[in-house]
Amino acid sequence: MSKRADARLVLLRHAKSAWPDTADHERPLGPRGLRDAPAAGQWLRDTGCLPELVICSTARRARETWALAAEQLGGQVPVRFDERVYAAEPEELLAVVSEAPEEVRTLLLVGHNPGLAGLALGLAGEEADEGALDRLAEKFPTSAIAVLACPGPWRGLAPGTARLTDFAVPRGAAP
């Protein structure tokens, strides 16, 4: 029997939001976010990090980020909007990820900080490629993407069991 290849967990922080006089959950993307979200989608496409399933926060800025990124992927991707991702702690995000179907090999989680950074740092432990861990530990800005190689089934994912293989901050061109 062959060894199961690592799955990939891709973490995308929502793009830069605006600060209108509205509830936090309903804040839309701002001008920079509207430029950067498609760049995140292009990065996913160009690096081959094409998700088989997306779990996205229900917050407006996260939904808008995913919609703009998805337009760059060239196909439909199943998406689940999960209210638990909004304002979640790393442990809560890990619980959401652990529910993903085992046949999903690339899972994209679109969410918020500080939860996403905490999840990435906790899962990666000391394992990372080419300075990615140092960049991630310094800051997980809006539109940032962390890619983790995850052995075993999603339900078995635990702190320190993944390897951070990439960390990028795609930016769209300013007008």
Side-chain angles (χ1 to χ4, degrees), residues 63-88:
R63 292 183 323 230
E64 290 178 351
T65 297
W66 168 241
L68 292 168
E71 290 175 0
Q72 305 301 313
L73 301 182
Q76 293 290 332
V77 179
V79 61
R80 296 180 186 167
F81 296 99
D82 192 322
E83 64 188 19
R84 297 176 296 169
V85 177
Y86 176 69

Side-chain angles (χ1 to χ4, degrees), residues 39-120:
Q42 289 172 352
W43 188 92
L44 292 170
R45 183 191 67 225
D46 293 348
T47 59
C49 284
L50 301 175
E52 295 167 51
L53 175 65
V54 175
I55 301 173
C56 184
S57 166
T58 55
R60 180 176 173 184
R61 59 193 179 275
R63 292 183 323 230
E64 290 178 351
T65 297
W66 168 241
L68 292 168
E71 290 175 0
Q72 305 301 313
L73 301 182
Q76 293 290 332
V77 179
V79 61
R80 296 180 186 167
F81 296 99
D82 192 322
E83 64 188 19
R84 297 176 296 169
V85 177
Y86 176 69
E89 296 291 327
E91 299 80 20
E92 296 166 303
L93 294 172
L94 183 57
V96 169
V97 168
S98 72
E99 296 170 6
E102 188 172 339
E103 62 271 11
V104 170
R105 307 305 302 144
T106 301
L107 175 65
L108 174 63
L109 183 63
V110 183
H112 312 269
N113 245 8
L116 285 182
L119 178 63

